[in-house]
Amino acid sequence: MSGETLSFLIADDHPMVRDALASALGQSFAGARFDRAGTLDQAKTVLEREPETDAVLLDLDMPGMDGLTGLARLRAEHPTVPIVVVSAAREAAVIRRAYEFGASAYIDKSAPLEEIAAIVRAVLDGEIFTPPDAVPGDSFAQRAAQLTPQQWRVLALMIHGDQNKQIAHKLGVGEATVKAHVTVILRKLGVRSRTQAVIEARGLALPPSETIRT
């Protein structure tokens, strides 16, 4: 990686955290460039503008994230960009699900900055960390991670109680298109009904769901 100018996206809604992470990575990766985001929408805008970003440091508890749902949406839209979750959530189930959704590493936000920089370096070298008790398998989260960005938008609106007509209006598509999306979503998720899909998908989010802007 010598000679390369690395670029990072630091996505956290606390400016002091963003600055601390940028400072730590700046000391480890000379000349690196940093973009910052305080919401999921801002993070998506940066990645759309800079699709060759080398790594994202992502906070799960950030406006627009809906917990792990936001991680999965970023992974679906930018499958080649490594995502390192830096979160205060320490529950084993949360950590396992983050890896199922495609995180390359999960770091406790209280970890020393030097440790965070070392893990980011390992991720850039191609390593993928896994929790000690992680067991490979066909989980709902893994199936959900296969949804396309548009299917995620439809599912997100389903979770918030919108019917097909409302979803069609919000997304600017025909109702038949939404029905087709719902059919594919149910098949990909391995569920039999819209209600089951919504109940299972609600379990993917950590904080209370916020209104999803489309």
Side-chain angles (χ1 to χ4, degrees):
M1 216 167 279
S2 59
E4 266 186 61
T5 299
L6 297 174
S7 61
F8 297 97
L9 167 59
I10 300 176
D12 192 291
D13 59 341
H14 293 93
M16 289 180 64
V17 173
R18 295 197 298 266
D19 291 344
L21 291 173
S23 176
L25 294 179
Q27 293 176 27
S28 296
F29 304 98
R33 181 176 58 78
F34 298 97
D35 287 300
R36 294 168 170 82
T39 67
L40 176 62
D41 284 346
Q42 291 174 6
K44 292 171 68 173
T45 297
V46 170
L47 288 175
E48 286 165 8
R49 187 181 71 238
E50 304 288 346
E52 301 302 315
T53 296
D54 290 288
V56 178
L57 277 73
L58 181 70
D59 178 27
L60 295 179
D61 189 13
M62 183 175 65
M65 283 293 292
D66 271 334
L68 293 167
T69 303
L71 166 62
R73 292 173 70 181
L74 282 183
R75 167 55 59 233
E77 294 174 18
H78 303 278
T80 64
V81 180
I83 298 177
V84 177
V85 172
V86 183
S87 174
R90 300 176 182 177
E91 297 87 349
V94 173
I95 297 172
R96 284 197 303 272
R97 284 180 172 178
Y99 282 107
E100 288 172 354
F101 273 84
S104 295
Y106 191 105
I107 307 173
D108 191 312
K109 193 171 278 190
S110 64
L113 293 174
E114 297 80 9
E115 179 183 333
I116 294 175
I119 292 175
V120 171
R121 182 176 294 280
V123 167
L124 293 177
D125 287 339
E127 293 186 37
I128 295 180
F129 295 80
T130 54
D133 57 348
V135 178
D138 179 30
S139 71
F140 181 85
Q142 288 170 316
R143 296 194 297 274
Q146 305 306 311
L147 298 179
T148 66
Q150 185 74 337
Q151 288 161 3
W152 266 112
R153 286 187 279 270
V154 172
L155 179 59
L157 292 170
M158 288 167 56
I159 292 171
H160 285 276
D162 288 353
Q163 298 303 309
N164 289 352
K165 186 174 183 179
Q166 296 167 298
I167 295 173
H169 176 71
K170 290 183 178 180
L171 297 183
V173 298
E175 192 171 349
T177 298
V178 173
K179 290 176 68 174
H181 278 310
V182 172
T183 299
V184 174
I185 288 168
L186 299 186
R187 186 174 71 244
K188 283 187 175 182
L189 296 181
V191 296
R192 296 183 179 181
S193 71
R194 184 189 190 103
T195 300
Q196 186 183 356
V198 168
I199 291 172
E200 293 278 4
R202 278 178 179 155
L204 301 178
L206 300 179
S209 294
E210 299 173 7
T211 300
I212 292 193
R213 296 185 300 274
T214 56

